[in-house]
C-alpha cells in the first residue's frame, strides 16, 4: 500500500484551514457574537462559492431538498454554532482539540451502520492519535469550571454532528459536485440562522480587524475548506476524510501560538508528533476488509 499524495495534500490543507478557524473565531466572537459570526461566515462563503459555480457553469444539485437541508444542518448550522460556543467558553486551543474526537464519532457511526471495519494497524493508529491529543490537552489544561465543562460538551455535540454529516454526504452526495454541495450547505446555514440574528444582536460594532477576520473565516476557513473537505469525502470516504480532525489540534495550537501568543511547551510538541505518527498509520492501513461496497477506498491505494 502507498499513500495517495493528492488526497493526503488536501487532507493537510483542510487541517490547516480548520485549525486556523478556531483562532479567527476567538478573535471575532467577543464582538459580533455566535449567531452573527456564524451567519456572516456562511453568507460570505455562499456568495464566493456561488460566484465560482456561475463562472465555471457547474450544474446544480440533483439531490432532494430534504437531503440538502439535512446536510446543511448537520454539517454547518449545528457544528458552526456549537463549536463557536465551545471556543468562546474555553479557548482556541481547546476548541481545536475537541475537534480531534471527530474520527472516533465517525468510526462509531460507521460501525453501527455496518459500512466500515478497520484493520489492527488502523486501530493502533487511532489509539496513538488519541494519546497525542491527550498529551496536547494536558499542557493546555485550563481552570475547570461550569462554563469550561459546558463548552467541552457543546463542542463534542458539534463534532459528532459534523462526523455524521460526512457519512450522510458520502451516502447521498458522492456524485454531486463538491462546490455545489458546499454551496447548499452554506445556504442552509444562513437561512436557518438569519431569524435568530434578528433577535440576538452583536455586543458592539465590529472593527476593521474583526471584519477582516470574518472575511478570512468565510472565504478560506469555510468556502475553500469545505469544498476541499467534500472532495475528500467523495474521493476517499467519510472515515478517511475524518482523519483531518487529528491535524486540527496540531494546526490549532500552532496558529494560536502565532496569532494569540499561546504557549507551546515540550509536551505539546511530543503530543503533536504522536498525533502525526498515528495519522500515518491510519493513512497506511486502508479500509478494513469487509467494509461495505458503498464505502470507497481510504486515502491509500494499491502499489502498481
Amino acid at each position: 500500500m502507498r499513500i495517495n499524495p493528492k488526497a493526503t495534500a488536501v487532507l493537510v490543507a483542510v487541517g490547516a484551514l480548520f485549525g486556523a478557524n478556531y483562532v479567527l473565531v476567538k478573535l471575532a466572537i467577543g464582538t459580533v457574537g455566535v449567531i452573527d459570526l456564524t451567519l456572516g461566515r456562511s453568507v460570505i462563503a455562499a456568495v464566493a462559492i456561488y460566484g465560482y459555480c456561475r463562472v465555471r457553469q457547474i450544474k446544480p444539485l440533483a439531490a432532494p431538498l430534504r437531503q440538502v437541508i439535512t446536510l446543511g444542518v448537520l454539517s454547518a448550522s449545528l457544528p458552526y454554532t456549537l463549536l463557536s460556543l465551545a471556543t468562546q467558553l474555553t479557548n482556541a486551543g481547546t476548541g481545536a482539540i475537541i475537534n480531534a474526537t471527530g474520527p472516533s464519532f465517525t468510526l462509531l457511526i460507521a460501525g453501527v451502520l455496518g459500512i466500515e471495519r478497520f484493520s489492527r494497524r488502523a486501530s493502533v493508529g487511532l489509539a496513538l492519535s488519541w494519546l497525542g491529543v491527550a498529551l496536547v490537552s494536558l499542557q493546555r489544561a485550563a481552570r475547570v469550571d461550569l462554563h469550561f465543562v459546558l463548552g467541552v460538551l457543546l463542542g463534542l455535540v458539534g463534532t459528532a454532528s459534523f462526523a455524521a454529516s460526512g457519512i450522510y454526504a458520502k451516502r447521498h452526495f458522492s456524485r454531486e459536485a463538491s462546490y455545489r454541495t458546499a454551496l447548499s450547505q452554506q445556504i442552509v446555514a444562513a437561512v436557518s440562522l438569519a431569524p435568530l440574528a434578528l433577535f440576538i444582536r452583536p455586543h458592539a460594532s465590529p472593527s476593521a480587524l474583526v471584519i477582516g477576520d470574518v472575511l478570512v473565516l468565510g472565504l478560506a476557513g469555510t468556502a475553500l475548506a469545505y469544498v476541499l473537505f467534500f472532495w475528500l469525502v467523495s474521493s476517499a470516504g467519510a472515515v478517511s476524510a475524518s482523519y483531518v480532525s487529528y491535524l486540527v489540534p496540531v494546526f490549532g495550537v500552532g496558529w494560536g501560538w502565532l496569532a494569540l501568543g499561546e504557549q507551546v511547551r515540550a509536551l505539546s510538541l511530543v503530543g503533536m508528533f504522536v498525533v502525526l505518527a498515528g495519522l500515518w498509520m491510519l493513512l497506511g492501513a486502508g479500509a478494513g476488509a469487509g467494509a461495505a461496497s458503498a464505502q470507497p477506498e481510504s486515502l491509500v491505494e494499491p502499489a502498481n
Side-chain angles (χ1 to χ4, degrees):
M1 306 291 286
R2 63 183 176 86
I3 297 175
N4 180 332
K6 180 179 179 180
T8 303
V10 173
L11 182 79
V12 173
V14 175
L17 290 169
F18 282 160
N21 283 352
Y22 291 94
V23 174
L24 294 169
V25 167
K26 191 67 176 178
L27 289 171
I29 198 170
T31 300
V32 299
V34 174
I35 299 300
D36 275 27
L37 177 63
T38 306
L39 176 61
R41 69 184 290 189
S42 297
V43 170
I44 292 168
V47 171
I49 299 172
Y50 176 76
Y52 183 86
C53 289
R54 285 296 301 270
V55 171
R56 293 293 301 273
Q57 297 183 337
I58 300 175
K59 64 179 181 179
L61 293 176
L65 180 60
R66 68 179 183 279
Q67 293 178 358
V68 172
I69 293 175
T70 300
L71 180 65
V73 171
L74 287 176
S75 66
S77 300
L78 274 179
Y80 281 2
T81 303
L82 295 180
L83 287 169
S84 293
L85 280 171
T87 301
Q88 184 178 33
L89 294 172
T90 58
N91 53 65
T94 300
I97 291 168
I98 291 171
N99 191 84
T101 61
S104 296
F105 283 116
T106 304
L107 284 170
L108 176 62
I109 297 170
V112 170
L113 297 178
I115 61 177
E116 190 66 57
R117 181 165 59 87
F118 276 174
S119 65
R120 181 176 299 177
R121 172 171 172 161
S123 300
V124 173
L126 187 65
L128 271 178
S129 296
W130 265 104
L131 175 61
V133 170
L135 290 174
V136 176
S137 302
L138 283 175
Q139 82 90 29
R140 300 190 59 82
R143 181 173 62 88
V144 178
D145 55 17
L146 181 60
H147 286 87
F148 185 86
V149 173
L150 178 60
V152 171
L153 292 176
L154 290 173
L156 289 173
V157 175
T159 302
S161 177
F162 186 68
S165 75
I167 293 176
Y168 191 83
K170 179 58 202 171
R171 176 167 291 184
H172 299 290
F173 292 82
S174 61
R175 296 185 178 182
E176 302 284 359
S178 60
Y179 286 94
R180 283 292 183 178
T181 303
L183 174 60
S184 68
Q185 170 206 46
Q186 302 308 317
I187 291 175
V188 170
V191 171
S192 62
L193 293 170
L196 292 176
L198 296 175
F199 300 98
I200 303 176
R201 303 308 309 143
H203 303 298
S205 299
S207 64
L209 180 60
V210 170
I211 293 174
D213 290 336
V214 177
L215 284 172
V216 174
L217 181 63
L219 293 174
T222 305
L224 178 59
Y226 276 97
V227 167
L228 294 175
F229 176 78
F230 283 124
W231 179 88
L232 274 176
V233 169
S234 61
S235 300
V239 173
S240 294
S242 74
Y243 296 160
V244 71
S245 297
Y246 285 129
L247 293 176
V248 172
V250 176
F251 283 106
V253 171
W255 293 128
W257 171 70
L258 285 173
L260 303 177
E262 297 178 351
Q263 290 186 341
V264 181
R265 300 188 179 95
L267 188 59
S268 281
L269 297 177
V270 173
M272 291 178 192
F273 175 81
V274 175
V275 168
L276 293 175
L279 181 63
W280 176 80
M281 293 195 70
L282 287 166
L283 291 175
S293 60
Q295 184 73 8
E297 298 83 3
S298 64
L299 296 180
V300 296
E301 58 189 27
N304 293 326

